[in-house]
Amino acid sequence: MAVNLAKIVEPGSLRWIGQRLEGLAGLDIPVGASDMRAVALHLGGEIYRIGGINLRNAFVVERGPLRLVYVRPTYSGYRFAARRVFKSTPWAVDYDHVLARNIAIRFGVGYVLLIRLPPRANRSHGPHEKPALRRGVNLRKLLFADRRILDKWLGRPVRPLPDMSRCRPYSPQAPQAFALTLKQLGAWGFAMGMEDGPLPPGVLRPL
């Protein structure tokens, strides 16, 4: 009798979400941006208002299955904005800025991407979320993840490498290519709010 060795991907699993991201794995998601239109143009997505929240404070860019929430780094209501867009989970999650607020402010970033992640992982990144110490930083319209930020994005605690490349102060990044497994791709998508299937529009209003 032939044995079927094909791996079954069950709905509700990270691999299932990862499959929904096929074709988008190489998409460079900005972790910080000068303004909302810079994000939308880079991603080829549509901008949405979140209910009655002022666009100056928060907005969503939708591209395919991705629904990305960006907030002003000094906006104190970012958790409220996240709960309006993200589906609730039966386990504890933190809503946080994937690029730390103090880094974003240091580099004059207008908006930062929000993610959901395990509280333990979120806490472990706090001591390492600091900007580069050098002066005269050249501001960019878009900022991208380094290796430590990718760990946070995937819900992993800080794991210093021998060369300390995951613990160096953040400097403005050009897009980097990170190879992700299907499960890691699912964790990456889940952090940004993806679920098993399409989410209803809910409180989102197109501009």
Side-chain angles (χ1 to χ4, degrees):
M1 183 177 68
V3 178
N4 184 4
L5 298 178
K7 184 175 290 186
I8 298 174
V9 179
E10 297 287 348
S13 68
L14 291 177
R15 289 186 175 88
W16 182 276
I17 296 175
Q19 285 184 337
R20 294 195 63 215
L21 279 164
E22 287 180 347
L24 294 176
L27 190 64
D28 302 312
I29 306 295
V31 297
S34 59
D35 59 73
M36 67 181 75
R37 300 201 182 280
V39 179
L41 285 172
H42 178 76
L43 298 176
E46 300 295 327
I47 303 172
Y48 290 83
R49 182 191 302 272
I50 305 172
I53 297 176
N54 193 313
L55 273 173
R56 182 172 173 271
N57 291 325
F59 63 92
V60 165
V61 171
E62 193 169 79
R63 159 72 188 274
L66 288 172
R67 186 175 288 177
L68 307 170
V69 183
Y70 286 87
V71 297
R72 188 164 49 89
T74 55
Y75 177 46
S76 61
Y78 68 91
R79 292 186 183 90
F80 171 74
R83 293 188 184 103
R84 299 295 303 275
V85 180
F86 287 71
K87 188 177 178 181
S88 61
T89 62
W91 54 85
V93 294
D94 280 354
Y95 297 109
D96 199 17
H97 312 77
V98 68
L99 178 70
R101 285 189 290 178
N102 68 313
I103 296 176
I105 293 169
R106 168 69 177 82
F107 289 123
V109 172
Y111 294 95
V112 180
L113 178 67
L114 276 188
I115 58 170
R116 57 184 176 184
L117 71 164
R120 177 174 171 270
N122 192 26
R123 306 295 187 271
S124 82
H125 284 265
H128 304 283
E129 295 185 322
K130 51 187 179 291
L133 301 178
R134 63 190 176 89
R135 300 288 182 181
V137 174
N138 294 322
L139 299 182
R140 300 183 181 182
K141 285 191 173 182
L142 300 172
L143 299 182
F144 297 91
D146 60 12
R147 297 176 75 178
R148 185 201 59 77
I149 288 176
L150 179 65
D151 278 345
K152 181 178 181 180
W153 211 332
L154 296 176
R156 300 190 298 208
V158 173
R159 300 178 301 123
L161 294 180
D163 63 358
M164 298 298 288
S165 61
R166 279 192 168 92
C167 296
R168 291 175 181 155
Y170 178 80
S171 293
Q173 297 290 316
Q176 296 189 55
F178 296 109
L180 301 179
T181 66
L182 189 61
K183 185 175 181 179
Q184 288 171 338
L185 193 59
W188 182 71
F190 177 82
M192 292 180 283
M194 281 191 64
E195 299 287 345
D196 285 5
L199 294 170
V203 298
L204 299 186
R205 303 288 180 265
L207 295 189

